[in-house]
Amino acid sequence: MKILVTGATGQLGHDVAEELAKRGHESIGVGSADMDITSEEQVRKIFDRVRPEAVVHCAAYTAVDRAEDEPELCRRINAEGTRRIARFCREYGCKLLYISTEYVFEGEGERPWEPDDTPNPLNVYGQSKYEGEQAVQEYLDKYFIVRISWVFGLHGGNFVRTMLRLGRERGAVKVVDDQIGSPTYTRDLSILLADMAESEKYGIYHASNEGFCSWYEFAAEIFRKAGLRVDVTPVDSGSFPTKARRPHNSRMNKDKIVKNGFNKLPPWQDALERYLRELSD
């Protein structure tokens, strides 16, 4: 199958393109330098050249706090850019996998969010990704909307790398303990996304590594597995005011993955251990 991967220079897009190629698909990865999704001309040029059978749309504006100051740019990429990709997918008759986020939810309570729960975003970034979801559903029947959370991978900055750097530099960190969710390792997620691309089990899915934790628990496990002696202090979100509001409850129910014949991702602790091993190699 000929599959176009947007955002292929990012940590998820890179791994998805690699996994698809490993399976023998013709995987064509493009970054913003190759295809600016806010440009009608550039998107058409790539679709005309590639003529994909499927698109995995990883490209996104992900600077959550900066989005509050740049709402128009954020929406131009995440909402209008995704609308453009969806429109071209319809024109070319190809399926679309759109990578979304748990930030589409308001983040209150403790119950894990279901795929069919009504989104109610807290911030500009979440709203822009939700508008992208709406565009996908408006234009296509053959689509996967895959909401993910707390992503870490080898090809980009992330929470794990930040904690390792701060732990080594300072020997002590403060981390919020009132935001609960699930880390997602891009290598594990890429396998699931490739499985989906090879199927026709369309719909909205939640996907992250198994198990829930707070950012504080995630940080403590990072240092434990990395063999670093770092003093980790739990604090509430008020100790780190941010421009964009963050959800306290990022738990997601992933049962639909198994129900539709896919494999759930391994536990986040296992994923973290493998990731740290790869970082040190």
Side-chain angles (χ1 to χ4, degrees), residues 250-268:
S250 289
R251 301 171 182 88
M252 294 190 293
N253 187 325
K254 293 154 280 191
D255 290 345
K256 187 175 179 179
I257 291 173
V258 174
K259 199 179 295 180
N260 283 3
F262 300 113
N263 294 318
K264 281 189 174 183
L265 278 59
W268 66 266

Side-chain angles (χ1 to χ4, degrees), residues 71-81 124 127-128 131:
E72 289 180 11
L73 176 60
C74 180
R75 285 199 172 95
R76 197 153 69 239
I77 295 169
N78 291 348
E80 294 167 29
V124 169
Q127 179 63 31
S128 71
E131 288 171 16

Side-chain angles (χ1 to χ4, degrees), residues 2 10 16 34 49 95 98 103 118 120 146 180 203 211 254:
K2 192 181 284 190
V16 170
D34 310 299
R49 177 168 65 81
K95 65 180 77 170
Y98 171 57
Y103 274 50
T118 303
N120 184 24
V146 185
I180 311 295
K254 293 154 280 191

Side-chain angles (χ1 to χ4, degrees), residues 43-268:
V43 174
R44 179 169 291 284
K45 185 179 175 183
I46 292 293
F47 269 77
D48 281 347
R49 177 168 65 81
V50 174
R51 299 194 169 271
E53 297 164 77
V55 176
V56 184
H57 182 33
C58 301
Y61 180 113
T62 58
V64 178
D65 287 320
R66 199 163 70 231
E68 299 295 314
D69 294 323
E70 300 178 334
E72 289 180 11
L73 176 60
C74 180
R75 285 199 172 95
R76 197 153 69 239
I77 295 169
N78 291 348
E80 294 167 29
T82 300
R83 177 176 294 276
R84 183 170 291 108
I85 296 291
R87 186 159 43 78
F88 275 99
C89 283
R90 184 174 70 177
E91 185 178 326
Y92 282 79
C94 58
K95 65 180 77 170
L96 173 63
L97 284 80
Y98 171 57
I99 309 304
S100 191
T101 171
E102 93 281 12
Y103 274 50
V104 300
F105 296 117
E106 66 200 27
E108 296 304 319
E110 296 182 358
R111 176 181 69 83
W113 298 102
E114 302 285 346
D116 58 357
D117 281 339
T118 303
N120 184 24
L122 289 176
N123 52 45
V124 169
Y125 167 71
Q127 179 63 31
S128 71
K129 293 296 286 184
Y130 177 42
E131 288 171 16
E133 290 188 8
Q134 291 173 306
V136 170
Q137 293 174 87
E138 178 187 338
Y139 280 96
L140 299 168
D141 295 317
K142 297 190 298 183
Y143 68 81
F144 298 85
I145 290 170
V146 185
R147 297 180 182 135
I148 64 176
S149 60
W150 299 19
V151 179
F152 64 96
L154 290 170
H155 304 279
N158 55 63
F159 181 76
V160 182
R161 287 182 185 271
T162 299
M163 286 298 105
L164 290 173
R165 177 177 57 80
L166 292 177
R168 289 179 179 124
E169 288 174 1
R170 303 177 184 176
V173 294
K174 294 179 180 178
V175 186
V176 296
D177 69 345
D178 58 357
Q179 297 174 22
I180 311 295
S182 301
T184 309
Y185 184 23
T186 53
R187 281 206 191 278
D188 292 342
L189 179 60
S190 296
I191 294 168
L192 173 62
L193 294 175
D195 289 344
M196 287 180 170
E198 292 170 344
S199 82
E200 294 182 354
K201 296 171 181 176
Y202 303 116
I204 301 175
Y205 291 85
H206 290 166
S208 62
N209 284 94
E210 283 300 290
F212 302 128
C213 62
S214 67
W215 287 110
Y216 161 74
E217 290 168 326
F218 190 17
E221 188 69 2
I222 290 167
F223 297 130
R224 191 182 74 78
K225 287 192 184 300
L228 293 175
R229 294 178 64 85
V230 179
D231 183 18
V232 191
T233 304
V235 296
D236 63 31
S237 298
S239 303
F240 291 105
T242 54
K243 192 154 279 191
R245 289 177 63 197
R246 299 299 201 275
H248 287 283
N249 178 20
S250 289
R251 301 171 182 88
M252 294 190 293
N253 187 325
K254 293 154 280 191
D255 290 345
K256 187 175 179 179
I257 291 173
V258 174
K259 199 179 295 180
N260 283 3
F262 300 113
N263 294 318
K264 281 189 174 183
L265 278 59
W268 66 266

